[in-house]
Amino acid sequence: MGRKDSSGCCCCCEWLCGCLFSCILSCLFQILCTILVIVALAAFIFWLILRPNEVKFHVTGASLTQFNFTTNNTLHYNLALNVSIRNPNKRIGFYYDTIEANAYYQGKRFDTETLTPFYQGHKNTTVVNTVFQGQQLVLLGTDEVSQFDSEKTDGVFGISLKLNLRIRPKLGWIKVWTFKPKIQCGLNVPLKSNGTSSTAFETTKCSYDL
């Protein structure tokens, strides 16, 4: 009696399994591509509807009544700033959960203040105020001390304000992702003496520190 050849059956099964596996992979790939296209299209439509614009920051006022650097490398300062925050968006509000304001002189941070969190509605301008007052050890090199003396003679000091923010956009009742922009403002602040200064402070536009 002859034996049945099982090799043909095995080959046939292997071929069927391979085809089935390829079909499943192909279907999964097509489904994934379809989902990605739908998500990308939805995001594009969402952007077209909202047309989000970046929030604008300006320092609109600055009052510097003390800025002295002593021989023991101590900076005595009293600086008050007004920061205007403009939300130009028609449909998006923002929760400012964290607002950290840092003051720098010649790249050296001399004070940090934490401002009160707030919500800003759409098409709104909010002015926040911060005061840096006290004394801080600041190590300046010879050239930096010379720069300080020159600015003291001119009566105008180059001071930088840096804001570290944690913001949540709000669309209707939906609060979306949190992002953490950094804002930098390079200021030329006149020193007041007996309530007056040699020049007036000019409103300064801030930029995003990427």
Side-chain angles (χ1 to χ4, degrees), residues 51-209:
R51 290 293 178 92
N53 297 302
E54 68 177 24
V55 177
K56 296 177 173 59
F57 296 80
H58 292 81
V59 178
T60 56
S63 175
L64 184 64
T65 56
Q66 184 183 25
F67 209 69
N68 299 322
F69 187 70
T70 62
T71 54
N72 61 349
N73 296 320
T74 300
L75 180 67
H76 298 261
Y77 54 89
N78 190 340
L79 171 66
L81 299 175
N82 300 328
V83 182
S84 172
I85 305 174
R86 174 63 180 172
N87 174 16
N89 294 283
K90 295 180 179 180
R91 299 178 179 87
I92 304 175
F94 294 95
Y95 285 95
Y96 292 81
D97 295 326
T98 301
I99 311 171
E100 181 187 84
N102 301 282
Y104 288 79
Y105 179 69
Q106 297 198 50
K108 309 291 195 303
R109 183 174 62 180
F110 61 86
D111 201 355
T112 297
E113 297 293 332
T114 300
L115 308 186
T116 303
F118 67 94
Y119 170 75
Q120 184 179 43
H122 52 81
K123 284 287 185 180
N124 178 269
T125 299
T126 303
V127 178
V128 296
N129 307 304
T130 183
V131 176
F132 303 99
Q133 183 177 10
Q135 60 185 48
Q136 179 65 38
L137 178 67
V138 178
L139 300 178
L140 299 180
T142 303
D143 292 341
E144 294 168 326
V145 172
S146 177
Q147 177 69 24
F148 177 90
D149 292 337
S150 176
E151 292 181 355
K152 184 177 180 179
T153 301
D154 295 337
V156 179
F157 289 93
I159 298 174
S160 295
L161 172 69
K162 295 184 180 181
L163 302 175
N164 297 327
L165 309 173
R166 188 164 67 89
I167 302 176
R168 287 178 297 147
K170 179 176 179 288
L171 174 62
W173 53 271
I174 302 175
K175 300 174 186 177
V176 291
W177 64 92
T178 297
F179 63 103
K180 300 177 181 180
K182 295 182 178 181
I183 310 300
Q184 181 167 314
C185 316
L187 311 174
N188 292 315
V189 186
L191 177 65
K192 287 186 176 181
S193 178
N194 297 323
T196 61
S197 57
S198 57
T199 59
F201 175 78
E202 296 183 1
T203 295
T204 304
K205 182 179 179 180
C206 304
S207 60
Y208 284 82
D209 189 4

Side-chain angles (χ1 to χ4, degrees), residues 10-26:
C10 291
C11 291
C12 183
C13 290
E14 291 175 356
W15 180 80
L16 288 174
C17 290
C19 288
L20 181 61
F21 183 72
S22 298
C23 289
I24 292 174
L25 284 180
S26 178

Side-chain angles (χ1 to χ4, degrees), residues 1-5:
M1 183 181 293
R3 292 185 305 167
K4 293 184 178 179
D5 187 0

